[in-house]
Amino acid sequence: MSIARKTALVYCENQFGLMDGKTAGGLVRHSEIYHIVGVIDSSLAGKDAGEELDNQKNYIPIFANLQSALDRLPDVPDCYIYGKAPLDATIPAEERALILEAMTKGMDIINGLHQFFSDDSEFIEMAANCEIEIKDIRKPPKLKDLHVFTGQISKVNIPVIAVLGTDCACGKMTTAVELNKALNHLGIKSVLVATGQTSLMQGARYGVSIDALVSQFVIGEIENAVLQAFERESPDIILVEGQSAVSHPAFMSSVGILKGSMPDGIILQHPPGRKFRCDFPQLPMPTIESEILLIEAISQSQVIAIALSHENMTETEIKKTIEGYENRLQLPTTDVLTCGCKKLVRTLGNRFPSLDRQNKLNSQIIPLLTTK
């Protein structure tokens, strides 16, 4: 029996559809926990969130501010989600005021930042007065509940696939979510292990926001999440969400994912239209070839397919890029938001015959997968 989703309003001022608005974008596309009823971004007020993200109307309105949202929505939403993921360590005063106002309206606060609202004395007092809950998604488990690497990952005898990337905010989570849905739609039991706050908000049952952990426990927590998914769900395949990029000088997350999950294959996400690293305009993007070489040099895993992010690209450019990559790299290439997951599903079926033991991935079923 499915649990009713809570209604939620997502705050994403001046960032919806942009890199730092990836949390809001992910929730608008998919969430098993929250029913998104609106987005706050005054720069896009009056527009449809689906059209802004994917050129496809989803009837989630974008509002100029909190009051206009509450004036137009039929009911006060259950939750107010802070939907931005900035590099800044703390939120500005005007955003604090909005959170406090949302509390006074009776909305629970869902926070994906490293700044924990549940440790803030002003927020704690207001939450108590308004009888609402504050949930910090990135707050790590207590020390006694954390895990170090044990090597028990070797017990996992089904395919484990990591969706890594060449940069931050380039579509890794979206590809992992779409592929997970496609596999389950075909009757292949797939479980997604989350490694970031947005996937946890979307409803992933296994995983932790690894960039909030002490480094000693990152690899062990990833291993433990994969083991839990394997032992509790008896899945046919496990997908592991990627973070950042192995080559990115600012982050170590991808290396921890490679070590902790010991994947049997890697789907590599890449934004061909991006010139510079996300949030680092002085750092040029790596080539996809250099990222593949680096991944395969430091792990025993191979890149088995390429998934593209179509930002700053036309449909013609996407098609030409897919053809060019497949000819040059000899790897299946797709963009799951425009072309669906058929190529990725076929690749998994060809690479891991155990997934196709009941002929679930044959050519008669694959066309049933959604293409967008």
Side-chain angles (χ1 to χ4, degrees):
M1 182 176 174
S2 61
I3 299 173
R5 293 183 298 167
K6 291 186 174 184
T7 56
L9 183 64
V10 184
Y11 175 80
C12 196
E13 178 63 15
N14 291 322
Q15 293 298 321
F16 188 70
L18 303 178
M19 293 178 188
D20 284 355
K22 63 181 182 179
T23 295
L27 291 170
V28 162
R29 286 188 175 120
H30 173 77
S31 180
E32 298 170 24
I33 300 176
Y34 304 106
H35 170 53
I36 307 303
V37 296
V39 174
I40 296 175
D41 184 344
S42 62
S43 68
L44 299 171
K47 297 187 176 181
D48 180 272
E51 286 184 329
E52 283 301 307
L53 277 182
D54 303 315
N55 297 314
Q56 187 173 16
K57 189 181 285 288
N58 63 5
Y59 304 99
I60 296 176
I62 302 177
F63 299 105
N65 51 51
L66 176 58
Q67 191 56 55
S68 66
L70 297 178
D71 287 343
R72 290 181 55 193
L73 291 170
D75 300 293
V76 174
D78 299 315
C79 305
Y80 178 96
I81 299 177
Y82 191 93
K84 297 197 288 186
L87 286 177
D88 300 332
T90 58
I91 61 172
E94 59 268 24
E95 293 186 346
R96 287 185 64 88
L98 279 176
I99 292 166
L100 291 166
E101 184 181 351
M103 290 186 191
T104 66
K105 304 298 183 182
M107 301 168 69
D108 290 336
I109 306 301
I110 312 300
N111 170 38
L113 298 176
H114 288 293
Q115 178 185 1
F116 300 142
F117 295 170
S118 60
D119 292 341
D120 184 297
S121 58
E122 185 180 20
F123 286 162
I124 292 170
E125 182 179 359
M126 182 64 80
N129 291 339
C130 298
E131 298 183 335
I132 61 92
E133 179 184 3
I134 298 174
K135 189 171 184 180
D136 287 312
I137 304 300
R138 262 188 170 129
K139 206 164 197 178
K142 295 184 188 233
L143 187 61
K144 67 181 179 61
D145 297 322
L146 289 168
H147 300 83
V148 294
F149 185 77
T150 65
Q152 292 187 67
I153 192 74
S154 61
K155 297 193 306 185
V156 178
N157 59 3
I158 60 168
V160 175
I161 306 298
V163 183
L164 303 185
T166 57
D167 196 15
C168 305
C170 66
K172 298 180 289 290
M173 179 192 66
T174 298
T175 291
V177 167
E178 291 299 317
L179 180 56
N180 190 57
K181 288 194 292 187
L183 289 166
N184 281 294
H185 175 70
L186 289 173
I188 301 297
K189 188 171 183 181
S190 175
V191 176
L192 175 61
V193 169
T195 57
Q197 75 277 9
T198 306
S199 291
L200 294 170
M201 289 185 196
Q202 288 179 322
R205 297 187 298 278
Y206 300 95
V208 66
S209 185
I210 60 174
D211 63 0
L213 297 174
V214 174
S215 61
Q216 173 75 10
F217 301 106
V218 170
I219 296 169
E221 280 298 303
I222 294 168
E223 179 195 41
N224 182 65
V226 174
L227 283 168
Q228 283 186 333
F230 174 66
E231 292 169 353
R232 296 178 185 177
E233 303 291 337
S234 298
D236 298 313
I237 185 172
I238 293 172
L239 305 179
V240 183
E241 175 198 13
Q243 295 295 325
S244 182
V246 172
S247 65
H248 203 302
F251 308 105
M252 291 293 293
S253 304
S254 284
V255 176
I257 291 167
L258 279 173
K259 290 177 177 288
S261 67
M262 295 181 65
D264 300 288
I266 291 162
I267 295 169
L268 185 60
Q269 186 85 22
H270 180 61
R274 189 179 296 183
K275 304 297 184 186
F276 299 95
R277 300 270 194 187
C278 171
D279 290 325
F280 295 92
Q282 70 276 33
L283 299 178
M285 280 290 294
T287 65
I288 196 164
E289 290 90 346
S290 67
E291 196 74 28
I292 292 171
L293 287 171
L294 184 56
I295 290 169
E296 295 183 350
I298 67 171
S299 74
Q300 296 182 337
S301 304
Q302 285 189 319
V303 174
I304 62 173
I306 305 296
L308 302 182
S309 169
H310 57 251
E311 64 181 66
N312 304 319
M313 299 177 72
T314 65
E315 287 188 21
T316 300
E317 288 171 333
I318 294 168
K319 183 177 179 182
K320 286 183 178 179
T321 302
I322 288 173
E323 292 173 353
Y325 279 16
E326 289 188 331
N327 290 333
R328 192 167 82 244
L329 303 173
Q330 294 297 297
L331 289 171
T333 303
T334 192
D335 170 0
V336 301
L337 289 179
T338 58
C339 305
C341 293
K342 295 187 294 296
K343 285 184 183 178
L344 300 183
V345 171
R346 281 199 190 101
T347 300
L348 293 174
N350 292 335
R351 290 265 180 171
F352 306 102
S354 63
L355 295 178
D356 207 15
R357 62 186 180 277
Q358 296 177 353
N359 206 29
K360 292 176 180 175
L361 305 186
N362 65 28
S363 59
Q364 293 180 354
I365 298 180
I366 286 176
L368 297 178
L369 290 169
T370 302
T371 56
K372 300 182 180 182

